Amino acid sequence: MRRTSIAVCTVALTATLGGCALGQNQAGSEAGSSDSGAQQGGAYSDLASLVAGATQAMDDNQSYKLKLNATLGSAGGLQTDCDVDATQSAMSCTGTTGEIIVVDGETYMKNPQLNAMSGDPGKPWAHISQDGPGAAVGGAQSAALSEAADFRKLLPEGSQFTKVGPDAVDGTQATKYEVVTDINDVIGSADGILKQSYEMLLKAGVTELKQTVWADDEGRPLKVEQTTPPMNIAGQQVDESTTTLTYSDWGKSVSVAKPDASQIREFEMPGLPQGP
């Protein structure tokens, strides 16, 4: 079966100016190959405890660094480095496609290509409303980044869980886990754009989502790897893609602030209706 991940789908669609906003309900207790869900010696025994432990680690450490590296076949690659403030649910990112700030539940993007199409040179930051006409297109990358910072969204409830065993990430002792999701098992409980994303993947012949997760001896996530096979999205061929999410600098102080109001404009995309 073909295997891929929703986060890779989002990055790929962003690169091709598509749209694929993400979301999942908070992970519950159902998971594959589970006994008690307790953490033993730094290792998790089921999906629910992995999600809860990673989420708790993010809350306890208050801040961390997140790096996203994606190789999109012949389309090239994307890289984004983020400072994450877990206490404020805020992040500030700089990368290949520009800059993104998520703060107070709002998303702001500074992207040279978007600015060239519809920008105001004096207002380089585009405010992307969650329910506005640009959310699906302009907000795709911010959705992927938000997913990477929330393990309740990153690892869907009902996925099959396997603890592979001891491993290492850049010299740090870790435990490796495999998480596999059958899209047909979760599409019934999905709605909105998430359901559309699942439908698109099934249409492309993708039936499973697979992710590999590494966590350190304190239960903190270190790395998540995702791979998608070649597929056709909206008439465009997307070659095999890989995405690596790396988490580091736990507890290091970060500062995330909203752009100055004088530099913010409302997001607009040529050809899309701009009002209700």
Side-chain angles (χ1 to χ4, degrees):
M1 293 184 181
R2 289 186 174 183
R3 296 177 174 179
T4 185
S5 76
I6 288 291
V8 174
C9 161
T10 303
V11 174
L13 288 171
T14 302
T16 57
L17 289 183
C20 178
L22 309 179
Q24 273 283 2
N25 292 327
Q26 181 171 336
S29 59
E30 294 183 11
S33 60
S34 165
D35 291 322
S36 65
Q39 184 180 355
Q40 302 173 353
Y44 297 108
S45 61
D46 65 13
L47 179 64
S49 61
L50 170 58
V51 171
T55 302
Q56 190 63 50
M58 290 176 171
D59 291 342
D60 289 346
N61 287 274
Q62 299 185 347
S63 59
Y64 56 93
K65 300 280 188 179
L66 168 64
K67 176 176 287 189
L68 184 152
N69 283 288
T71 302
L72 305 173
S74 59
L78 295 174
Q79 177 175 320
T80 299
D81 293 280
C82 301
D83 290 335
V84 182
D85 183 342
T87 62
Q88 302 296 324
S89 298
M91 64 172 63
S92 175
C93 307
T94 301
T96 309
T97 57
E99 299 176 58
I100 290 178
I101 292 176
V102 180
V103 63
D104 296 331
E106 301 293 331
T107 300
Y108 305 88
M109 178 181 288
K110 186 179 181 181
N111 180 286
Q113 291 179 325
L114 291 179
N115 287 344
M117 288 190 291
S118 59
D120 178 342
K123 296 184 177 182
W125 286 96
H127 171 238
I128 304 171
S129 173
Q130 295 180 3
D131 56 0
V137 178
Q141 187 182 30
S142 62
L145 293 170
S146 295
E147 183 189 61
D150 188 345
F151 269 67
R152 294 169 299 184
K153 297 178 180 179
L154 192 63
L155 305 177
E157 177 184 354
S159 300
Q160 293 298 309
F161 169 93
T162 302
K163 183 176 73 173
V164 178
D167 204 348
V169 176
D170 297 329
T172 299
Q173 195 66 30
T175 303
K176 181 179 178 181
Y177 308 91
E178 298 284 356
V179 179
V180 180
T181 304
D182 187 326
I183 297 177
N184 289 298
D185 287 344
V186 299
I187 192 171
S189 60
D191 56 20
I193 296 178
L194 177 61
K195 185 171 184 177
Q196 294 173 23
S197 301
Y198 284 150
E199 291 172 343
M200 179 197 67
L201 292 171
L202 289 172
K203 185 176 180 180
V206 177
T207 60
E208 286 186 344
L209 316 180
K210 180 181 179 181
Q211 300 185 85
T212 304
V213 182
W214 288 261
D216 67 14
D217 289 342
E218 295 183 43
R220 301 175 300 189
L222 296 176
K223 184 169 69 171
V224 178
E225 284 189 351
Q226 310 161 323
T227 302
T228 178
M231 60 181 171
N232 189 286
I233 301 177
Q236 298 190 47
Q237 184 64 29
V238 178
D239 295 333
E240 180 175 280
S241 306
T242 60
T243 296
T244 301
L245 308 172
T246 305
Y247 305 83
S248 63
D249 291 349
W250 292 98
K252 183 176 180 179
S253 178
V254 300
S255 178
V256 180
K258 177 181 175 180
D260 188 272
S262 64
Q263 296 189 341
I264 299 173
R265 70 179 192 280
E266 289 303 309
F267 177 87
E268 294 183 358
M269 192 73 178
L272 291 179
Q274 305 303 325

